[in-house]
C-alpha cells in the first residue's frame, strides 16, 4: 500500500488543521465572522467560508484562499443576518478541492443546517461506510460530512435532539459549530482535544452578542470578552429563548492538545484557560535549565520559537537577538505542496543577520522538529552566516507519533524522531548539539497537575481508541 490517499479511504486526509468561529445576535454577524476568521487565519490557509442566517434562509460562501482575499465587501453583502458561523481550513495531501471547504450545509427534515468542524473524527471511516450502505450519498471527502448525514437521518424531531444523537455516535476530536435558521449550536468532544472559547460582545450597553472561537485572539479583534470555554462533552444552544448549556454526554478524562500551546495557537491567545505566551516562555525557561550550553547569543526561529527563546534567554542570562528575519508575506513553508517548494520556501521565508551571527556561538530555539528538513536548512543558514557553533534547542519532546486528533503531522515514516535517536537527529540537522524539553518539563510548563492534556505525539499513548492498525498501515506502507 502506498501513502494514505483518497483512493484508499473515503476521506482525503486524516489531519485537518482548522479554526472555527460562531456568532449569534449581531446585525453584522458575517462582518464579525470575517474579522474572527481573519484572526484565526494561522489555523488554516487553504480555504475559508462563512454561513449566515437572516432568520429564514442560510446563505453561504466558501472559497479556496485566504480570508482577506475571499471576503470582499461585495461577498460579505451576500451574507445578511444576525447569526453566522465561519471556518478556515488547511488540509495536506489528497483532495484539497472546494467541495471540502467548510461550512458544509444540508437541507433536511430539521431545516437548513450548516456545520464547521475543528478536529478529526476517528471513527468516520466506519460511520461513512455504514451510512453509504444505507443509501447516503456523500458530496465531499471530508469527515465532517458524516455529522450532517447523522443529523439528517436522526429520528429525533428537534435539531438539538438530532445533534445530540449525532454527537453520541462520533468519536475523536471535535469542536463543532452549527448554524440553523434561528440558532447557533456548538459542541465539544468529551475529552476536549481542540479548544472552543465562548465570549460576549456588548452591543449597546443593553444587549450583547454571543461569540465562539477556536482561540481568544478572535475575540480581541472584535472587542469581545472571553467568558470561559465550552466544556468537554458540552453543547451550548443560543437561540431566541436565550442560552442553554447542557452536557450531551458524560465528559471523559480531559485530553487538551498540548501542541496547541507548543506551536499551533497564537501566543496572544488564551487556550484551555491558559495564556499561550506564558506557557511557551516557561517551556523555554525549563529547556534552559534542563539543557544549558555555553553560548554568546540566543536566536529564535521566527515566529514559532520566539516565546520559548525569550524564556531561554531570561533563564540563562545569554543575550536574545533576532538574527533570523522572517518575511511575513510568505505562507508557512511547512504547508507548501511539494518537497521542492518547501526547501525553496525556507530561503524565501528567513534571512540571517550576518553581523549578529558572525564568529558567535549560537543557541537556536524552535518549537519542534517534524521531518527535520527545515531545521537542517536553518542550521546551515546560520552557520553559513558565520556562526562558530550552532546548538539547537527544541521546546517540546521529540515528536514520535502522528496526531489523529486534528493536527497535521506526516506519516510515521516521515517523522524523524520516530525513526532516529537524538544523536542521529543532531547529525541530520548538522547541529553542534541538539536537545529537547522533557515531557515533565512540558507538563510543568502547562501546570498540568491533574493530567488534563494530551501528549500522544510525544508518547505514542493515545487517550482514545484510534484505528491504529488501519491508519498506520496505510500511512507507512506496511501490510
Ligand atoms: P522540520 O525541521 O522540517 O521538521 O520543520 C520544523 C518546523 O515546522 C518548525 O519550525 C515548526 O514550527 C514547524 N511545524 C511543526 N509542526 C507543524 C505543523 N503541524 N504545521 C506547520 N508547521 C509545523
Ligand atoms: Fe495534540 Fe499531539 Fe495530542 Fe494531537 S497527539 S491532540 S497534536 S498533543
Amino acid at each position: 500500500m502506498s501513502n494514505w490517499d483518497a483512493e484508499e479511504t473515503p476521506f482525503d486526509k486524516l489531519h485537518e488543521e482548522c479554526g472555527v468561529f460562531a456568532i449569534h445576535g449581531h446585525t453584522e454577524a458575517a462582518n464579525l465572522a470575517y474579522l474572527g476568521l481573519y484572526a484565526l487565519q494561522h489555523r488554516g490557509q487553504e480555504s475559508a467560508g462563512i454561513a449566515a442566517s437572516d432568520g429564514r434562509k442560510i446563505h453561504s460562501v466558501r472559497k479556496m484562499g485566504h480570508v482577506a482575499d475571499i471576503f470582499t465587501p461585495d461577498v460579505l453583502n451576500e451574507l445578511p443576518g444576525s447569526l453566522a458561523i465561519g471556518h478556515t481550513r488547511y488540509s495536506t495531501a489528497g483532495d484539497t478541492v472546494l467541495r471540502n471547504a467548510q461550512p458544509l450545509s444540508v437541507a433536511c427534515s430539521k431545516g437548513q443546517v450548516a456545520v464547521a468542524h475543528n478536529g478529526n473524527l476517528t471513527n468516520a471511516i466506519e460511520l461513512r461506510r455504514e451510512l453509504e450502505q444505507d443509501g447516503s450519498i456523500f458530496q465531499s471527502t471530508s469527515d465532517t460530512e458524516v455529522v450532517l448525514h447523522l443529523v439528517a437521518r436522526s429520528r429525533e424531531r428537534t435539531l438539538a435532539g438530532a445533534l445530540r444523537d449525532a454527537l453520541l455516535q462520533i468519536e475523536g476530536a471535535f469542536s463543532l459549530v452549527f448554524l440553523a435558521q434561528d440558532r447557533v449550536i456548538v459542541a465539544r468532544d468529551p475529552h476536549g482535544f481542540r479548544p472552543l472559547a465562548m465570549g460576549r460582545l456588548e452591543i449597546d450597553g443593553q444587549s450583547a452578542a454571543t461569540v465562539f472561537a477556536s482561540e481568544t485572539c478572535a475575540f480581541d479583534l472584535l472587542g469581545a470578552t472571553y467568558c470561559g470555554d465550552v466544556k468537554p462533552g458540552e453543547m451550548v444552544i443560543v437561540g431566541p429563548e436565550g442560552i442553554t448549556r447542557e452536557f450531551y454526554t458524560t465528559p471523559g478524562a480531559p485530553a487538551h492538545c498540548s501542541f496547541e500551546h507548543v506551536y499551533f495557537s497564537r501566543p496572544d491567545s488564551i487556550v484551555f484557560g491558559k495564556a499561550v505566551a506564558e506557557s511557551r516562555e516557561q517551556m523555554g525557561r525549563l529547556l534552559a535549565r534542563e539543557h544549558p550550553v555555553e553560548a554568546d547569543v540566543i536566536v529564535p526561529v521566527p515566529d514559532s520559537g520566539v516565546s520559548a527563546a525569550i524564556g531561554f534567554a531570561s533563564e540563562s542570562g545569554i543575550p536574545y537577538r533576532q538574527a533570523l528575519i522572517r518575511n511575513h508575506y510568505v505562507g508557512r513553508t511547512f504547508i507548501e505542496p511539494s518537497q521542492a517548494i518547501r526547501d525553496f520556501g525556507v530561503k524565501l521565508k528567513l534571512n540571517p543577520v550576518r553581523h549578529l551571527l558572525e564568529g558567535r556561538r549560537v543557541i537556536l530555539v524552535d518549537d519542534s522538529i517534524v521531518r527535520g528538513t527545515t531545521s537542517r536548512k536553518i542550521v546551515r543558514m546560520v552557520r553559513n552566516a558565520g556562526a562558530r557553533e550552532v546548538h539547537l534547542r527544541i521546546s517540546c519532546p521529540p515528536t514520535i507519533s502522528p496526531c489523529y486528533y486534528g493536527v497535521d503531522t506526516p506519516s510515521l515514516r516521515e517523522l524523524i524522531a520516530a525513526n532516529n535517536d537524538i544523536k542521529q537527529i543532531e547529525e541530520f540537522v548538522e547541529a553542534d548539539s541538539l536537545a529537547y524539553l522533557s515531557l515533565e518539563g512540558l507538563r510543568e510548563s502547562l501546570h498540568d497537575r491533574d493530567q488534563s492534556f494530551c501528549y500522544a505525539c510525544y508518547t505514542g499513548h493515545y487517550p482514545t481508541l484510534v484505528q491504529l492498525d488501519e491508519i498506520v498501515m496505510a500511512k507507512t506502507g506496511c501490510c
Side-chain angles (χ1 to χ4, degrees):
M1 219 186 277
S2 67
N3 274 352
W4 182 275
D5 65 28
E7 266 138 49
E8 292 155 0
T9 85
F11 300 108
D12 64 326
K13 65 192 292 297
L14 288 164
H15 318 295
E16 220 170 79
E17 294 176 350
C18 303
V20 292
F21 182 87
I23 179 161
H24 178 282
H26 198 294
T27 47
E28 292 202 58
N31 284 335
L32 293 167
Y34 160 68
L35 290 177
L37 292 184
Y38 190 77
L40 298 174
Q41 182 73 83
H42 61 288
R43 296 184 72 88
Q45 293 93 21
E46 187 186 74
S47 68
I50 295 175
S53 172
D54 57 12
R56 286 175 293 120
K57 195 172 182 312
I58 291 178
H59 304 262
S60 166
V61 173
R62 305 177 294 154
K63 287 193 177 164
M64 306 303 286
H66 286 198
V67 175
D69 300 326
I70 298 170
F71 294 103
T72 58
D74 284 349
V75 171
L76 287 168
N77 276 339
E78 293 168 25
L79 297 166
S82 59
L83 299 77
I85 61 170
H87 190 257
T88 129
R89 174 179 189 263
Y90 157 58
S91 103
T92 50
D95 228 343
T96 57
V97 290
L98 184 58
R99 69 196 153 109
N100 283 339
Q102 296 189 21
L104 297 173
S105 49
V106 72
C108 62
S109 59
K110 287 98 201 165
Q112 261 189 304
V113 189
V115 63
H117 172 206
N118 176 206
N120 182 59
L121 305 183
T122 48
N123 66 340
I125 297 171
E126 55 194 84
L127 284 175
R128 179 165 171 154
R129 272 187 203 133
E130 284 165 23
L131 285 160
E132 283 181 331
Q133 273 161 13
D134 279 356
S136 293
I137 296 168
F138 279 73
Q139 308 291 322
S140 75
T141 54
S142 152
D143 61 349
T144 310
E145 196 183 345
V146 166
V147 184
L148 282 184
H149 282 274
L150 293 173
V151 171
R153 293 173 71 94
S154 170
R155 296 230 168 96
E156 292 285 336
R157 274 178 308 157
T158 63
L159 176 61
L163 287 184
R164 230 174 269 124
D165 214 9
L167 295 173
L168 289 171
Q169 294 176 69
I170 56 177
E171 289 168 14
F174 51 90
S175 283
L176 288 161
V177 298
F178 296 91
L179 177 71
Q181 273 118 314
D182 66 343
R183 61 197 55 223
V184 160
I185 304 181
V186 307
R188 214 165 149 214
D189 68 73
H191 298 279
F193 282 103
R194 308 257 69 87
L196 188 57
M198 184 169 171
R200 184 183 156 85
L201 177 61
E202 295 294 336
I203 298 174
D204 52 15
Q206 280 166 1
S207 54
T210 306
V211 284
F212 300 92
S214 297
E215 291 180 40
T216 59
C217 62
F219 298 165
D220 298 340
L221 190 56
L222 266 56
T225 313
Y226 169 52
C227 308
D229 293 337
V230 176
K231 298 203 166 53
E234 192 183 26
M235 178 160 110
V236 184
I237 305 167
V238 195
E241 67 287 345
I243 302 175
T244 316
R245 301 184 71 151
E246 63 169 66
F247 285 94
Y248 65 88
T249 187
T250 316
H256 307 319
C257 172
S258 56
F259 191 65
E260 290 274 353
H261 273 261
V262 168
Y263 167 82
F264 199 49
S265 294
R266 263 173 49 164
D268 51 338
S269 285
I270 296 168
V271 170
F272 310 125
K274 297 175 203 291
V276 175
E278 214 171 277
S279 34
R280 261 179 218 167
E281 280 192 27
Q282 186 61 5
M283 288 170 209
R285 275 192 285 272
L286 296 182
L287 183 60
R289 242 179 262 167
E290 288 181 4
H291 301 289
V293 57
E294 268 191 37
D296 306 306
V297 66
I298 312 273
V299 175
V301 173
D303 295 324
S304 49
V306 169
S307 302
I310 290 170
F312 200 111
S314 79
E315 181 68 24
S316 63
I318 301 169
Y320 168 95
R321 289 286 178 275
Q322 287 182 305
L324 287 170
I325 302 302
R326 179 168 168 193
N327 179 342
H328 284 266
Y329 304 98
V330 182
R332 293 190 310 186
T333 56
F334 192 85
I335 67 167
E336 296 296 346
S338 76
Q339 187 65 34
I341 297 176
R342 182 160 52 240
D343 293 351
F344 182 53
V346 175
K347 280 191 214 140
L348 274 181
K349 189 170 122 178
L350 294 177
N351 199 28
V353 184
R354 176 169 282 275
H355 110 146
L356 294 176
L357 295 167
E358 214 152 31
R360 307 265 162 86
R361 296 167 300 173
V362 175
I363 299 177
L364 201 56
V365 180
D366 202 358
D367 71 288
S368 51
I369 299 178
V370 184
R371 293 180 176 88
T373 47
T374 313
S375 309
R376 174 158 74 173
K377 281 171 200 320
I378 296 171
V379 170
R380 270 188 198 164
M381 182 182 270
V382 170
R383 214 186 285 283
N384 289 341
R388 191 144 55 92
E389 291 170 18
V390 185
H391 302 276
L392 186 57
R393 293 293 179 269
I394 302 297
S395 62
C396 70
T399 306
I400 58 160
S401 251
C403 174
Y404 300 107
Y405 306 118
V407 163
D408 170 44
T409 30
S411 68
L412 211 55
R413 200 170 34 179
E414 289 171 280
L415 277 179
I416 191 166
N419 306 293
N420 297 277
D421 62 26
I422 294 178
K423 209 71 208 150
Q424 289 169 317
I425 304 172
E426 182 182 283
E427 275 165 30
F428 179 82
V429 299
E430 300 172 0
D432 292 289
S433 77
L434 165 68
Y436 291 83
L437 182 65
S438 67
L439 188 61
E440 296 66 40
L442 176 57
R443 203 169 261 152
E444 194 180 328
S445 308
L446 296 167
H447 304 290
D448 186 19
R449 288 177 205 98
D450 46 4
Q451 308 259 351
S452 58
F453 279 82
C454 171
Y455 302 97
C457 47
Y458 311 120
T459 62
H461 302 307
Y462 294 92
T464 66
L465 217 62
V466 283
Q467 294 166 312
L468 270 181
D469 290 346
E470 198 175 352
I471 291 167
V472 169
M473 271 165 38
K475 286 171 72 67
T476 57
C478 310
C479 51

